[in-house]
Amino acid sequence: MALGNRYKTAPGAGTLAALILVLVFGSPWYSDWVQANTNPDTAGGWWLRLLAWPRWSFDTDDSLRDVVVGDLKAILLVVLTLIFLYLLPGSQLARARGTISQFLAGWGAYIFAGAFAALLATLFLTNPSLLGAFNAAGSGAGYGFFAGWIVGLASLGGRRGTR
């Protein structure tokens, strides 16, 4: 039995899309492939490399702290996406489901989640600096801006809970 749209919540669908983005495009296999097979000087190559931003790994050559921070960024991205999807009121206040406000709320949630995940993960680096945290937050927000429309589309049309 297929689950219809009446069982899909907007935060749940958006979080599932974020989880899939992180698991697939943040994986070491995709990251290695995209570095070896794309040209960063083309728009397509740049975007494919951008999708690998929340990369996670199990590389034993890196220090344990760097591996944990990289994985923490990916985990925080998914968790913060869920939190921001619940907190952003645009789609909750929309009269009809499936409106543009749900799309923009999902997209905005992913932008905020990317920025805050990078900012928080940077604080756990070996030598954290305020400038490094700001640069990381900027790259996280850029990732969220260019990849967040996927989360926005996923959250489009989902129902909002009446809690």
Side-chain angles (χ1 to χ4, degrees):
M1 178 174 138
L3 295 177
N5 198 17
R6 65 183 184 175
Y7 298 110
K8 179 179 80 170
T9 64
T15 304
L16 181 63
L19 179 65
I20 291 170
L21 280 170
V22 169
L23 286 178
V24 172
F25 296 108
S27 70
W29 305 282
Y30 178 79
S31 297
D32 293 342
W33 175 83
V34 79
Q35 293 296 325
N37 296 309
T38 60
N39 182 1
D41 296 328
T42 63
W46 177 85
W47 193 71
L48 288 173
R49 287 171 181 242
L50 178 78
L51 286 176
W53 176 80
R55 75 183 56 112
W56 49 270
S57 69
F58 300 112
D59 193 4
T60 58
D61 294 336
D62 293 336
S63 70
L64 180 62
R65 183 179 206 138
D66 290 339
V67 170
V68 169
V69 168
D71 294 347
L72 179 67
K73 181 172 61 173
I75 293 167
L76 281 174
L77 180 61
V78 175
V79 171
L80 289 173
T81 298
L82 176 65
I83 291 170
F84 284 122
L85 280 171
Y86 272 114
L87 292 179
L88 286 174
S91 54
Q92 293 172 347
L93 300 177
R95 291 179 181 250
R97 78 180 164 173
T99 60
I100 192 74
S101 67
Q102 278 184 314
F103 172 74
L104 292 175
W107 194 356
Y110 207 59
I111 294 170
F112 288 131
F116 280 107
L119 182 72
L120 293 173
T122 302
L123 298 177
F124 294 102
L125 287 175
T126 307
N127 293 318
S129 70
L130 189 59
L131 179 60
F134 288 166
N135 283 333
S139 67
Y143 165 76
F145 181 78
F146 286 104
W149 60 269
I150 299 169
V151 174
L153 283 177
S155 63
L156 183 67
R159 71 172 176 82
R160 299 303 287 196
T162 57
R163 293 200 245 184

